[in-house]
């Protein structure tokens, strides 16, 4: 009897007790996703279409990342899940629990000892190493989407390497505001070919995309796309000679660990609106305390 | 014929396939690096463990396979059908091809992808005895500085890379060993 | 120091406990039974099965109960369950010609062989609250209704077909694509569009269909035929070379007949819109037919009026309520990091602006 049929009438938590396949997805789905991942790595920065499945969490909440993680996980893996850099934000907790239940794997907060890290909106502060996999949750994978809403058009633009529109937009920003007005999800070019959306990470994190030792995989569930940056891959953030790319963070230090180099969250500490700053990467902050 | 034993190759496919895929993933993200697959996988005569593991974790009825003459045996076909439910086809229609180097040529016969969908291209699994890190210099995504690999024909791979983002992706397999060369790998001196 | 994000795990557990208490409501009242839902809220069940793409009344009822009656949440539960089911193969196409109809009406012919069968419909009821239903035990005054017309009913569009007045749709015998197995690729052919529409949100389709009637891509529809009934589902076991009946399903089918003045590609004739949904849902079937017809403008060589309902990419990408609700609601997830980067940017731009004013 197939495992997925058994749970129809059990009263226990349906994700426990072997009711679902290892890491939830059925084998056929995993194979389909695995093929997409391999092609994504072979063509860095190109968005491979895949037929995303309904997951037991809503679209837009990390289903793409979850499907990629589920297809890569081995029982020997140690998984770390972060959202906004933190291990204990609600969505990170929920996804970590999901894999603890369905794959029975070890989880950790420690960036260094994780073999797979699923992330939403941040790259950890601690440098990643060879063999680690960083899996991003992506809401809108198409970097050209806000310039051209039609998939049929943007696909042609990628095929022809026609990225002029993007440069025009960025330059218009500069003439209007004196700055490029994109603060997160800042577009990059991978291996001098594909313009890619790095997911809504702050542009502070963009330099970490370049020549990273870890494999970086990107999953967009609702939009049905998977893409990748292999280790040691050339990644540049789009810019202009007279307006070079500039990573940005709050000009402050963390009020917990005192770091002056990590990305900071601003928090309001009283009704007067006084502010304080803490590291967005909770594990990094914890280790420095 | 001991194919009945061979049919039950895996005890716990969902777990074993996860390990197989992880190796394939590691291989394609570190081109030229040689991996050793240590596991108890029963494959039929002529089919290496490493090639078998790739077929198991990647193929199903959505991926028609081309088998070159040497590999197009009853035993291998049966094993593949039983485990993966894949169909067999010609070079021009396949998603995966399995064979010896000469038998798999020429590259032009396979789907190389299209400008809009470069991912719609074949992956070749080459049975290749001479897997080693002596030979042609390689660099590109996944490779720190550079590495070497004993390619069977430098020019053909160079040409494949020049088609990027179109092109074929390759696994080399022999017994427990395998390595990958995706289309993004640049061949020769910088 | 105050750090709001800590303790997520505990907070989630508490929230879930609270939810399940709230779902159960006042425990002095009996818990609602699945049978009650599937028998007495069968139109909700129909919608959940249709948009959940899974024909199982019991599971749909469970989903409705579990989601406290939030039908989109229930559809989501069913979809997430469906996707874990192993796929044995595809059934044969259902033959709606052989439908045993509980309802069959035509708006184009006053009478026709088989007649107009009104069946269980709200159409001619007065929308007055029926206070009798407040009573715990309502009086059951109708006799058991039986479907007595089990003979095959001929199809309205066939009459037009015979006279060569309606565009012929040929059976291509091509295996249709499957949206749940392959990512949507545009342009989509009609079978793929229909699959997408039948899974689409009822409200979205209704709005789209309505817009065509109000002039955004008018297509002059008549309901040629609307039928609700039971059809058998067959599955071919290719290894054994036999075909077996695996069950029966209730469906609603709508065929519209649309005026068409001809184009460079096609002579003047009537054209068709088609709607087919699980269960009983006339609103959805009619809406689907209207939108299907609107989307055919290219094949028919009609003018592109730039109407929303004619825009395949717009309709197919935005009709799925599970995708839509997930993404719309996801903005309530934390976005501290992105917001922080925008804060810094705005501050910087303002600072620069102030500097240059001085």
């Amino acid at each position: 009897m197939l495992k997925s049929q058994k749970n129809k009438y059990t009263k226990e938590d349906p994700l426990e007790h072997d009711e679902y396949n290892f890491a939830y997805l059925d084998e056929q789905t995993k194979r389909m996703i695995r093929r997409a991942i391999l092609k994504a790595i072979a063509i860095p920065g190109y968005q491979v279409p895949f037929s995303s499945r309904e997951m037991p969490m809503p679209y837009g909440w990390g289903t793409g990342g979850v499907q990629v993680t589920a297809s890569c996980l081995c029982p020997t893996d140690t998984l770390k899940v972060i959202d906004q850099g933190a291990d204990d934000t609600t969505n990170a907790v929920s996804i970590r629990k999901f894999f603890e239940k369905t794959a029975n794997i070890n989880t950790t907060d420690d960036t260094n000892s994780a073999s797979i890290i699923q992330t939403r909106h941040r790259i950890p502060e601690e440098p990643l190493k060879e063999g680690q996999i960083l899996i991003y949750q992506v809401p809108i994978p198409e970097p050209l989407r806000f310039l051209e809403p039609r998939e049929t058009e943007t696909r042609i633009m990628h095929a022809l390497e026609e990225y002029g529109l993007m440069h025009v937009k960025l330059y218009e920003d500069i003439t209007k505001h004196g700055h490029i007005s994109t603060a997160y999800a800042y577009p990059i070019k991978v291996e001098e070919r594909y313009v890619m959306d790095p997911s809504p990470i702050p542009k502070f994190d963009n330099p970490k995309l370049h020549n990273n030792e870890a494999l970086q995989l990107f999953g967009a569930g609702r939009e049905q796309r998977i893409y990748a940056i292999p280790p040691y891959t050339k990644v540049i953030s789009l810019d202009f000679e007279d307006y070079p790319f500039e990573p940005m963070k709050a000009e402050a230090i963390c009020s917990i660990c005192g770091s002056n180099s990590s990305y900071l969250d601003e928090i309001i500490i009283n009704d007067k609106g006084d502010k304080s700053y803490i590291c967005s990467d909770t594990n990094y902050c914890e280790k420095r305390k | 014929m001991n194919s009945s034993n061979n049919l039950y190759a895996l005890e716990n496919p969902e777990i074993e396939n996860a390990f197989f895929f992880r190796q394939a993933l590691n291989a394609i993200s570190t081109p030229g690096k040689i991996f050793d697959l240590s596991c108890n996988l029963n494959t039929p005569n002529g089919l290496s463990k490493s090639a078998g593991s790739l077929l198991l974790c990647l193929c199903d009825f959505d991926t028609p396979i081309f088998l070159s003459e040497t590999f197009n045996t009853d035993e291998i076909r049966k094993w593949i059908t039983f485990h993966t439910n894949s169909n067999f086809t010609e070079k021009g229609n396949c998603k995966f091809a399995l064979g010896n180097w000469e038998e798999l040529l020429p590259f032009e016969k396979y789907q190389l992808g299209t400008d809009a969908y470069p991912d719609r291209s074949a992956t070749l699994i080459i049975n290749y005895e001479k897997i080693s890190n002596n030979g042609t210099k390689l660099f590109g995504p996944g490779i720190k500085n550079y590495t070497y690999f004993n390619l069977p024909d430098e020019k053909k791979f160079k040409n494949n890379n020049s088609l990027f983002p179109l092109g074929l992706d390759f696994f080399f397999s022999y017994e427990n060993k395998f390595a990958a060369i995706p289309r993004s790998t640049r061949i020769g001196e910088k | 120091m105050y750090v709001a994000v800590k303790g997520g795990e505990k907070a989630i557990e508490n929230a879930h406990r609270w939810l399940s208490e709230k779902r159960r409501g006042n425990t002095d009242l009996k818990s609602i039974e699945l049978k009650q839902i599937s028998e007495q809220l069968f139109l909700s069940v129909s919608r959940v099965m249709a948009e959940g793409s899974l024909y199982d009344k019991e599971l749909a009822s469970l989903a409705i109960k579990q989601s406290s009656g939030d039908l989109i949440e229930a559809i989501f539960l069913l979809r997430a369950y469906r996707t874990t089911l192993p796929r044995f193969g595809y059934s044969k196409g259902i033959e709606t010609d052989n439908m045993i109809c509980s309802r069959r009406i035509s708006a184009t012919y006053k009478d026709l062989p088989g007649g107009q069968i009104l069946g269980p419909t709200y159409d001619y009821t007065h929308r007055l609250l029926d206070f009798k239903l407040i009573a715990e035990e309502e009086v059951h005054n109708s006799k058991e209704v039986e479907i007595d017309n089990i003979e095959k009913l001929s199809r309205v569009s066939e009459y037009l077909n015979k006279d060569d007045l309606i565009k012929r749709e040929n059976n291509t015998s091509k295996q249709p694509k499957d949206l749940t197995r392959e990512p949507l690729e545009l342009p989509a052919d009609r079978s793929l569009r229909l699959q997408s529409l039948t899974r689409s949100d009822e409200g979205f389709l209704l709005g789209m269909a309505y817009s065509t009637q109000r002039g955004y891509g008018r297509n002059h529809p008549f309901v040629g035929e609307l039928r609700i009934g039971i059809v058998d589902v067959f599955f071919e076991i290719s290894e054994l070379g036999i075909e077996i009946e695996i069950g029966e399903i209730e469906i609603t089918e709508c065929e519209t007949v649309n005026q068409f003045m001809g184009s460079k590609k096609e002579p003047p004739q009537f054209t068709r819109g088609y709607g087919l949904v699980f269960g009983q849902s006339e609103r959805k079937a009619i809406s689907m037919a209207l939108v299907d017809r609107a989307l055919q403008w290219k094949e028919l060589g009609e003018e592109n009026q730039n109407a929303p309902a004619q825009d395949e990419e717009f309709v197919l990408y935005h009709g799925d309520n599970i995708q839509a609700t997930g993404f719309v609601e996801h903005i309530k997830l934390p976005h501290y990091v992105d917001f922080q980067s925008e804060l810094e940017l705005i501050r910087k731009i303002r600072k620069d602006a102030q500097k240059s004013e001085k």
Side-chain angles (χ1 to χ4, degrees):
Chain A
M1 184 159 171
L2 288 146
K3 280 188 179 160
S4 45
Q5 289 184 311
K6 276 194 302 194
N7 76 319
K8 195 162 170 182
Y9 297 116
T10 49
K11 286 193 175 129
E12 293 117 12
D13 184 336
L15 290 178
E16 266 166 21
H17 311 294
D18 261 8
E19 304 295 0
Y20 283 90
N21 204 24
F22 173 73
Y24 185 78
L25 292 176
D26 61 285
E27 289 304 290
Q28 222 169 305
T29 301
K30 281 188 208 158
R31 275 192 296 269
M32 177 269 295
I33 295 173
R34 285 167 178 164
R35 293 193 292 265
I37 294 173
L38 294 190
K39 289 295 174 197
I41 296 170
I43 317 167
Y46 164 74
Q47 305 162 46
V48 181
F50 82 110
S51 90
S52 174
R53 301 291 195 247
E54 279 91 358
M55 297 300 286
M57 57 207 60
Y59 283 119
W61 298 54
T63 55
V66 166
Q67 289 179 78
V68 172
T69 300
S71 305
C72 291
L73 265 186
C74 288
T76 46
D77 272 315
T78 304
L79 179 70
K80 171 182 166 84
V81 183
I82 49 172
D83 185 347
Q84 313 290 301
D87 296 272
D88 58 358
T89 35
T90 45
N91 203 42
V93 171
S94 157
I95 291 171
R96 186 164 55 242
K97 286 244 155 198
F98 175 75
F99 283 116
E100 280 171 359
K101 277 184 190 169
T102 58
N104 196 25
I105 38 116
N106 291 322
T107 57
T108 183
D109 289 356
D110 179 18
T111 301
N112 191 47
S113 54
S115 53
I116 296 184
I117 301 171
Q118 183 171 326
T119 180
R120 179 168 169 263
H121 299 192
R122 273 313 307 276
I123 300 176
E125 304 289 354
E126 202 173 335
L128 302 176
K129 334 166 274 203
E130 270 186 35
Q132 286 186 306
I133 306 176
L134 182 61
I135 296 170
Y136 296 74
Q137 302 170 200
V138 183
I140 303 275
E142 179 48 72
L144 307 169
R145 184 62 69 233
F146 300 104
L147 308 170
E148 168 52 64
R150 283 176 193 281
E151 167 68 15
T152 33
E153 292 296 320
T154 52
R155 188 156 284 280
I156 294 169
M157 290 157 80
H158 282 295
L160 302 176
E161 215 177 335
E162 182 53 67
Y163 296 128
L165 201 58
M166 178 66 96
H167 282 99
V168 169
K169 191 254 166 200
L170 296 178
Y171 210 84
E172 271 176 9
D173 275 4
I174 292 171
T175 50
K176 263 192 223 155
H177 316 295
H179 288 279
I180 288 171
S181 67
T182 304
Y184 60 90
Y186 191 100
I188 56 174
K189 198 164 200 183
V190 182
E191 281 291 317
E192 290 166 14
R193 176 57 180 83
Y194 285 102
V195 166
M196 191 193 108
D197 179 301
S199 89
I201 55 172
K203 67 180 186 177
F204 172 84
D205 281 340
N206 270 29
K208 299 178 203 161
L209 295 158
H210 172 67
N211 218 19
N212 200 310
E213 292 185 23
L215 169 63
Q216 302 175 79
L217 300 175
F218 298 77
R222 193 179 37 78
E223 297 279 337
Q224 312 200 315
R225 297 290 184 271
I226 287 173
Y227 51 104
I229 304 176
Y232 306 109
T233 295
K234 183 174 176 187
V235 174
I236 56 150
S237 301
L238 298 183
D239 64 357
F240 301 94
E241 251 171 49
D242 42 346
Y243 282 91
F245 171 81
E246 232 185 317
M248 209 173 55
K249 70 180 269 292
E251 283 166 16
I253 58 164
C254 172
S255 59
I256 299 175
C257 76
S259 169
N260 62 2
S261 60
S262 84
Y263 191 77
L264 301 173
D265 283 340
E266 180 172 322
I267 49 176
I268 311 287
I269 50 175
N270 58 30
D271 287 344
K272 279 188 292 177
D274 287 337
K275 296 189 260 305
S276 178
Y277 292 87
I278 53 169
C279 292
S280 120
D281 184 335
T282 48
N283 178 248
Y284 171 82
C285 192
E286 190 74 20
K287 282 183 180 171
R288 284 175 43 91
K289 255 200 306 209
Chain B
M1 268 291 276
N2 58 353
S3 62
S4 55
N5 293 335
N6 281 335
L7 288 181
Y8 301 96
L10 299 178
E11 270 177 31
N12 207 345
E14 59 193 58
I15 304 296
E16 277 138 332
N17 279 327
F19 282 113
F20 293 160
F21 173 68
R22 191 58 165 276
Q23 291 277 40
L25 180 71
N26 289 338
I28 203 122
S29 44
T30 51
K33 187 170 173 184
I34 298 167
F35 289 82
D36 205 325
L37 189 81
S38 47
C39 77
N40 293 320
L41 174 63
N42 292 319
T43 49
N45 284 335
L47 181 65
S48 70
K49 277 189 191 185
S50 51
S53 79
L54 290 171
L55 296 174
L56 291 183
C57 71
L58 296 174
C59 295
D60 54 35
F61 63 74
D62 291 326
T63 56
I65 297 174
F66 167 73
L67 294 177
S68 77
E69 210 182 327
T70 319
F71 286 79
N72 197 1
T73 68
D74 253 10
E75 218 185 331
I76 290 178
R77 271 204 316 271
K78 263 191 199 153
W79 188 86
I80 293 175
T81 309
F82 180 85
H83 287 290
T84 70
N85 200 17
S86 301
N87 299 309
F88 299 101
T89 184
E90 289 311 302
K91 284 175 181 158
N93 292 321
C94 74
K95 291 272 171 233
F96 289 87
L98 173 66
N100 291 324
W101 170 244
E102 291 83 9
E103 293 176 331
L104 289 175
L105 296 175
F107 289 173
E108 295 76 41
K109 286 250 172 154
Y110 299 90
Q111 295 178 36
L112 300 168
T114 63
D115 289 333
Y117 295 96
D119 56 303
R120 294 181 183 171
S121 61
T123 301
L124 272 50
I125 303 170
I126 304 166
N127 185 57
Y128 188 59
E129 209 172 328
K130 293 177 241 166
I131 293 182
S132 98
N133 283 129
N134 300 312
T136 311
K137 194 170 183 178
L138 311 177
F139 56 100
I143 302 169
K144 186 180 185 178
N145 304 323
Y146 51 84
T147 185
Y148 295 92
F149 192 80
N150 183 29
L151 289 174
D153 186 336
E154 212 175 289
K155 238 174 107 184
K156 290 199 164 61
F157 289 88
K158 214 169 192 167
N159 186 44
N160 183 60
N161 171 251
S162 72
L163 302 172
F164 188 88
L166 310 192
L168 303 173
D169 304 307
F170 306 90
F171 283 96
F172 293 88
S173 83
Y174 191 69
E175 293 175 348
N176 290 333
K177 282 195 284 192
F178 72 109
I181 306 283
R183 70 191 80 177
S184 59
T185 300
R186 293 193 277 278
I187 314 292
E189 292 300 325
K190 279 199 194 193
Chain C
M1 120 159 282
Y2 166 80
V3 179
V5 294
K6 297 280 175 197
E9 213 153 315
K10 189 106 211 215
I12 291 178
E13 271 168 30
N14 288 338
H16 289 173
R17 242 201 317 272
W18 195 351
L19 171 68
S20 74
E21 240 170 65
K22 187 132 202 240
R23 176 195 296 128
R24 179 59 184 84
N26 184 345
T27 48
D28 294 342
L29 300 170
K30 271 209 256 169
S31 175
I32 193 166
E33 285 171 31
L34 297 193
K35 271 264 176 281
Q36 292 176 316
I37 295 173
S38 62
E39 289 293 315
Q40 297 174 38
L41 300 179
F42 61 93
L43 293 178
S44 295
V45 171
S46 281
R47 179 168 175 200
V48 170
M49 294 194 303
E51 289 165 37
S53 295
L54 184 68
Y55 195 92
D56 189 319
K57 290 182 181 169
E58 193 174 14
L59 289 178
S61 305
L62 170 61
I64 292 169
K65 178 175 178 175
Q66 188 179 330
S67 60
S68 311
D70 177 343
L71 296 189
I72 292 186
E73 186 69 30
I75 290 160
F76 184 16
L77 288 168
L78 213 57
R79 287 256 195 108
Y81 176 76
R82 175 192 190 276
T83 196
T84 66
L85 298 175
R87 183 161 304 224
F88 298 116
Y90 291 91
S91 67
K92 306 279 288 181
I94 51 172
E95 286 294 345
T96 52
D97 283 355
N98 301 334
M99 184 191 288
I100 297 172
C101 297
S102 56
R103 174 162 164 80
R104 186 268 201 134
I105 53 163
S106 169
T108 50
Y109 293 97
K110 184 170 185 191
D111 199 9
L112 65 166
Q116 309 263 12
I117 304 163
L118 297 190
T121 174
Y122 280 100
D123 281 359
Y124 322 103
T125 62
H126 293 137
R127 268 57 171 214
L128 301 168
L129 280 175
D130 182 356
F131 295 104
K132 284 204 299 285
L133 294 177
I134 297 175
E136 288 274 302
E137 296 296 326
E138 66 214 72
V139 195
H140 192 65
N141 54 11
S142 74
K143 277 181 277 165
E144 187 88 349
V145 186
E146 267 177 41
I147 301 176
D148 48 7
N149 49 289
I150 45 172
E151 89 262 43
K152 197 167 146 176
L153 293 171
S154 51
R155 215 171 248 289
V156 169
S157 56
E158 270 312 303
Y159 303 128
L160 294 166
N161 230 356
K162 273 187 200 131
D163 296 341
D164 225 3
L165 287 175
I166 193 162
K167 185 172 183 295
R168 277 181 197 279
E169 299 294 343
N170 298 319
N171 189 356
T172 59
S173 77
K174 214 173 76 188
Q175 181 77 27
K177 285 195 176 177
D178 182 351
L179 254 186
T180 67
R181 315 298 292 174
E182 280 170 67
L184 178 64
E185 191 188 313
L186 299 167
D189 62 13
R190 190 168 172 215
S191 61
L192 192 66
R193 293 197 303 247
L194 288 169
Q195 186 195 10
S196 173
L197 295 179
T198 196
R199 285 161 59 89
S200 282
D201 183 73
E202 184 175 309
F204 177 86
L205 276 193
L206 177 65
M208 281 291 148
Y210 181 45
S211 72
T212 65
Q213 291 181 300
R214 288 198 64 262
Y216 291 86
R218 267 189 92 185
N219 55 39
H220 310 278
F222 300 97
V223 170
E225 188 168 2
L226 177 73
R227 37 168 85 187
I228 302 174
I230 304 285
V231 290
D232 297 328
V233 180
F234 289 92
F235 188 81
E236 191 182 289
I237 304 174
S238 51
E239 287 96 327
L240 305 175
I242 54 165
E243 217 174 77
I244 53 162
E245 189 196 320
I246 53 171
E248 51 177 43
I249 57 173
E250 186 187 30
I251 52 165
T252 304
E253 184 187 45
C254 174
E255 216 168 358
T256 57
V257 176
N258 301 63
Q259 185 205 77
F260 177 61
M261 298 314 287
S263 70
K264 278 179 194 154
K265 283 185 180 169
E266 295 284 341
Q269 59 189 318
F270 289 107
T271 54
R272 310 166 200 241
Y274 187 71
L276 183 83
V277 283
F278 278 159
Q280 182 173 343
S281 181
E282 299 173 34
R283 183 184 305 124
K284 170 95 177 259
I286 297 171
S287 301
M288 178 173 166
L290 294 190
V291 178
D292 167 50
R293 177 59 188 76
L295 291 172
Q296 289 175 52
W297 67 272
K298 231 186 243 173
E299 288 108 288
L300 295 170
E302 276 179 324
E303 186 198 351
N304 178 13
Q305 303 177 34
N306 286 318
Q310 286 183 315
D311 188 329
E312 172 181 282
E313 189 159 340
F314 184 82
V315 173
L316 301 192
Y317 266 118
H318 300 110
D320 190 298
N321 53 23
I322 301 309
Q323 292 177 355
T325 199
F327 200 52
V328 166
E329 292 196 54
H330 108 283
I331 60 172
K332 68 192 170 192
L333 282 178
H335 284 81
Y336 326 123
V337 163
D338 323 33
F339 183 67
Q340 184 63 38
S341 60
E342 299 245 298
L343 261 180
E344 289 306 322
L345 183 72
I346 293 290
R347 281 185 185 137
K348 190 163 184 198
I349 293 176
R350 283 180 65 106
K351 211 156 80 190
D352 292 355
Q354 277 162 359
K355 250 189 239 158
S356 61
E357 271 167 31
K358 281 173 197 167

